[in-house]
Amino acid sequence: MKITRLKTWQVPPRWLFLKIETDAGVYGWGEPVVEGRAATVEAAVHELSDYLVGEDPHRIEHLWNMLYRAGFYRGGPILMSAIAGIDQALWDLKGRDLGVPVHQLLGGRVRDRMRMYAWTGGDRPQDVGEGARALVDQGFTAFKMNGTPEMAIVDSHRKVDEAVARVAEARDAVGPDVGIGIDFHGRVHRPMAKALLRELEPYHPMFVEEPVAPEHLPCLANIADGLGYPLATGERLHTRFEFRDLLAQGMIDVVQPDLSHCGGISEGMKIASLASCHDVALAPHCPLGPLTLAASLHVDAVNHNAFIQEQSMGIHYNKDNDVLDYLVDKSALAIEDGFCAIPEGPGLGVEIDEAFVEERARVGHRWRNPVWTHEDGSIAEW
């Protein structure tokens, strides 16, 4: 069997789908995308296709190393996201060819279903109590909210008070037993993070995510020492090597690799294993589409340290189309009572409606994240 073609489609709301085809008629689907840079990643996928056409798709580890190492320049969000979608598609293809789910190829599942969480409150968080109650009514036992809108590097304590008040509102709405993930989104700089992290402690977060931007993670050893709740990061780290020192220095409690940004299932498995060596939990980042979610669930299925899975159904970014719209069988990723069953179909266990993909690709998208500024006109972190 040889790879013959890589096909891509940009589809609403902000995703890129990939299909790898072979001369045997077997195929696999993946989701290579960086939010807001879909066209750039798409170009990278087609550049990388020069390495893939004519190759045996079953040699996943060999092909991953060729894509990663043979180009000399490596890493970063664009290349690793392109490799990630290709890797997902290769695992999907191999599972389809052998008639088994990907988790069987990875060693077999250690759990039957995965605890899930949902989002509430939007980019500039508001009405978090009402939104949190609605999610709990749907059966979720955990949710995530943005902690704060834009915050200057040194800001007024009013911003801290407002952020704490929103978390207090959410906690009051759902009670003590529901998990609350608080996403700082890298918006909070070191001087303000020191205060905010400590003032959130009485509300017992499930975790605080991206407490500082990824380039400033070394400061966590100083600003977060002794906190009584977990810190999480990883969506903007793209290889096991970027996680290595972070884990070795004990600076993080939950790793959040994104299976569409970190090199796919192959690299995600290595990151998960590395985290387990440090007794660190796994909670893959996934505000994307059905293929990223399916890939994440297969990694969750075989890693004992996986404890919860993000998903983007109903998230505020999903205009025009949502996660399940592109599936032939929407029950494959159905969430019931806050859990999703591990997919058992061949490959990733989801079947993409290619005709619908073609239709929506004619609409496409040009999604960009908001550009925020501070009061003085300087650029703020989104």
Side-chain angles (χ1 to χ4, degrees):
M1 185 189 301
K2 303 296 182 185
I3 296 170
T4 55
R5 183 165 64 162
L6 283 71
K7 297 172 64 177
T8 54
W9 300 264
Q10 292 185 45
V11 296
R14 56 178 189 165
W15 305 330
L16 178 70
F17 289 171
L18 162 69
K19 185 181 183 185
I20 295 181
E21 298 178 338
T22 67
D23 57 4
V26 185
Y27 58 86
W29 288 87
E31 198 170 327
V33 68
V34 171
E35 301 92 301
R37 299 291 181 266
T40 311
V41 179
E42 184 174 33
V45 167
H46 289 290
E47 285 186 332
L48 292 172
S49 70
D50 292 347
Y51 295 94
L52 296 168
V53 172
E55 295 291 329
D56 176 0
H58 282 268
R59 298 183 65 193
I60 298 173
E61 189 68 17
H62 170 69
L63 295 178
W64 195 98
N65 277 281
M66 181 163 59
L67 296 176
Y68 181 78
R69 299 177 188 282
F72 186 71
Y73 295 99
R74 58 188 67 168
I78 302 303
L79 284 173
M80 295 309 294
S81 297
I83 291 173
I86 292 168
D87 182 80
Q88 292 171 12
L90 290 172
W91 280 106
D92 186 39
L93 189 156
K94 187 166 188 172
R96 288 173 183 274
D97 190 39
L98 299 177
V100 296
V102 166
H103 65 74
Q104 288 283 27
L105 301 176
L106 299 175
R109 54 183 169 81
V110 300
R111 55 178 52 87
D112 302 323
R113 58 183 190 152
M114 191 67 193
R115 186 185 180 202
M116 311 295 284
Y117 70 84
W119 268 89
T120 191
D123 269 346
R124 287 189 169 95
Q126 57 186 343
D127 301 324
V128 292
E130 181 181 347
R133 277 191 296 268
L135 292 172
V136 172
D137 289 344
Q138 293 173 37
F140 287 100
T141 62
F143 65 91
K144 189 163 76 178
M145 57 182 281
N146 275 310
T148 177
E150 59 269 58
M151 184 176 279
I153 188 167
V154 175
D155 214 322
S156 70
H157 205 277
R158 176 179 59 83
K159 292 282 189 74
V160 173
D161 291 341
E162 290 172 349
V164 172
R166 281 188 292 269
V167 175
E169 175 191 345
R171 176 57 74 201
D172 183 64
V174 301
D177 298 327
V178 173
I180 303 178
I182 305 167
D183 192 354
F184 281 18
H185 218 246
R187 297 171 183 170
V188 186
H189 296 267
R190 173 176 175 161
M192 304 306 296
K194 292 168 67 175
L196 185 50
L197 286 170
R198 279 166 175 76
E199 295 208 19
L200 290 172
E201 198 154 16
Y203 304 98
H204 306 296
M206 179 172 64
F207 56 74
V208 164
E209 178 175 331
E210 280 206 314
V212 291
E215 58 265 38
H216 301 308
L217 287 173
C219 79
L220 291 181
N222 294 317
I223 70 173
D225 185 47
L227 281 179
Y229 59 82
L231 296 180
T233 199
E235 69 188 75
R236 290 190 277 180
L237 304 179
H238 306 106
T239 68
R240 77 197 91 147
F241 309 110
E242 293 180 60
F243 284 90
R244 178 183 56 199
D245 294 341
L246 186 68
L247 289 163
Q249 294 170 25
M251 291 189 291
I252 209 73
D253 308 295
V254 181
V255 292
Q256 299 174 301
D258 189 307
L259 275 294
S260 277
H261 301 333
C262 76
I265 292 169
S266 296
E267 190 73 348
M269 287 289 293
K270 295 176 176 70
I271 293 165
S273 181
L274 186 61
S276 75
C277 293
H278 298 274
D279 204 21
V280 165
L282 172 69
H285 179 256
C286 185
L288 292 168
L291 293 159
T292 312
L293 179 54
S296 300
L297 288 167
H298 285 280
V299 171
D300 293 329
V302 299
N303 283 285
H304 197 269
N305 56 333
F307 85 103
I308 201 164
Q309 177 59 56
E310 181 176 25
Q311 54 81 33
S312 70
M313 298 176 202
I315 200 170
H316 48 288
Y317 306 125
N318 288 0
K319 308 296 184 184
D320 301 321
N321 285 111
D322 212 322
V323 174
L324 301 182
D325 294 351
Y326 292 96
L327 299 185
V328 173
D329 177 10
K330 295 171 175 47
S331 69
L333 295 177
I335 299 172
E336 297 182 5
D337 298 324
F339 285 82
C340 185
I342 303 301
E344 290 293 342
L348 292 176
V350 295
E351 191 62 59
I352 297 295
D353 184 341
E354 188 168 348
F356 187 67
V357 169
E358 292 276 5
E359 175 187 331
R360 298 308 291 156
R362 289 193 285 272
V363 176
H365 68 85
R366 196 172 176 81
W367 189 87
R368 297 291 184 269
N369 62 260
V371 177
W372 288 358
T373 58
H374 295 297
E375 292 180 355
D376 62 3
S378 61
I379 293 295
E381 299 283 349
W382 164 65

